[in-house]
């Protein structure tokens, strides 16, 4: 049986966070609904990022957007807040998947618009539902609400990550071209 106190030590407590909690909180969830909704969207957007950029880029993107979302949440939210969940990283992967798929092909634009609208609505519904059902964290205090700061900052970190990586020339084996290289127009 897992010791719940040990798991709760991985949550991001804003009043006095340990350095590792900025990462570990992205792997912890308030309840089953919270976990399953994040896993569903992680599967969708993770798969898109992995198909376009590879598995290493997927993991790196998840970690950087998750840490970035938690860092911004810690800076902005009150000190009595507790952050937990992968939603910031999921929103980051959503932004990355949209940006690497973007092109002026009308089918791609339509795909992004439809997928984007669907995803934003579903992620927000799932986050609100998991908040309503969630139990207590510490001392009987229930979760106060959805961390929209983490959602927005995770997406923003994803945008910044794509922008930064689009500025870095990459070396590929002969014949291989990444999506970002094609987007930069360096290789046709």
């Amino acid at each position: 049986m897992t010791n719940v106190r040990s798991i709760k030590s991985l949550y991001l407590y804003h009043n006095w966070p340990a350095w590792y909690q900025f990462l570990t909180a992205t792997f912890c969830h308030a309840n089953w609904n919270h976990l399953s909704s994040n896993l569903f969207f992680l599967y969708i957007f993770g798969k898109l990022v992995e198909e376009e950029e590879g598995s290493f880029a997927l993991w790196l993107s998840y970690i950087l957007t998750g840490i970035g979302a938690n860092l911004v949440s810690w800076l902005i939210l009150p000190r009595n807040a507790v952050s937990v969940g992968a939603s910031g990283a999921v929103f980051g992967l959503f932004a990355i998947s949209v940006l690497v798929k973007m092109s002026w092909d009308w089918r791609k634009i339509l795909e992004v618009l439809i997928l984007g609208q669907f995803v934003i609505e579903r992620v927000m519904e799932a986050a609100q539902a998991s908040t309503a059902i969630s139990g207590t964290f510490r001392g009987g205090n229930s979760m106060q609400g959805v961390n929209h700061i983490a959602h927005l900052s995770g997406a923003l970190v994803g945008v910044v990550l794509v922008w930064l990586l689009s500025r870095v020339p990459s070396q590929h084996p002969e014949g291989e071209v990444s999506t970002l290289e094609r987007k930069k127009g360096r290789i046709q």
Side-chain angles (χ1 to χ4, degrees):
M1 183 83 175
T2 305
N3 185 347
V4 174
R5 283 196 175 144
S6 296
I7 292 173
K8 287 187 176 184
S9 70
L10 302 176
Y11 295 178
L12 176 59
Y13 293 97
H14 292 232
N15 58 346
W16 193 256
W19 65 268
Y20 59 85
Q21 291 174 342
F22 291 95
L23 173 63
T24 58
T26 64
F27 296 100
C28 300
H29 290 80
N31 58 39
W32 177 251
N33 287 341
H34 189 208
L35 174 64
S36 64
S37 64
N38 275 327
L39 283 174
F40 174 73
F41 291 112
L42 178 60
Y43 175 74
I44 291 172
F45 302 122
K47 188 171 176 71
L48 291 171
V49 171
E50 186 177 35
E51 287 172 356
E52 294 294 325
E53 301 301 326
S55 58
F56 179 75
L58 167 62
W59 277 105
L60 186 63
S61 298
Y62 179 89
I63 289 169
L64 292 176
T65 57
I67 290 173
N70 282 332
L71 182 61
V72 173
S73 294
W74 175 70
L75 291 171
I76 293 176
L77 293 177
R79 291 293 162 228
N80 65 346
V82 177
S83 292
V84 62
S87 299
V90 168
F91 269 79
L93 291 177
F94 168 65
I96 291 167
S97 68
V98 166
L99 292 173
V100 298
K101 287 268 189 194
M102 285 295 282
S103 72
W104 292 109
D105 177 13
W106 68 271
R107 290 172 287 207
K108 293 284 186 184
I109 293 171
L110 186 61
E111 177 183 329
V112 166
L113 291 174
I114 292 171
L115 183 62
Q117 177 185 353
F118 171 78
V119 166
I120 289 171
E121 289 175 7
R122 296 304 167 260
V123 167
M124 297 311 264
E125 287 172 6
Q128 290 170 348
S130 69
T131 300
I133 297 170
S134 71
T136 60
F137 281 106
R138 179 169 49 159
N141 296 330
S142 64
M143 195 162 150
Q144 295 297 315
V146 176
N147 188 346
H148 296 296
I149 299 296
H151 296 163
L152 295 173
S153 57
L156 181 61
V157 171
V159 169
V160 169
L161 185 60
V162 169
W163 180 77
L164 286 173
L165 291 176
S166 70
R167 303 287 181 249
V168 176
S170 56
Q171 300 289 328
H172 295 286
E174 201 170 309
E176 285 188 36
V177 180
S178 75
T179 302
L180 288 176
E181 285 291 319
R182 285 191 298 270
K183 299 267 184 258
K184 290 191 285 189
R186 293 187 176 156
I187 300 174
Q188 300 297 327

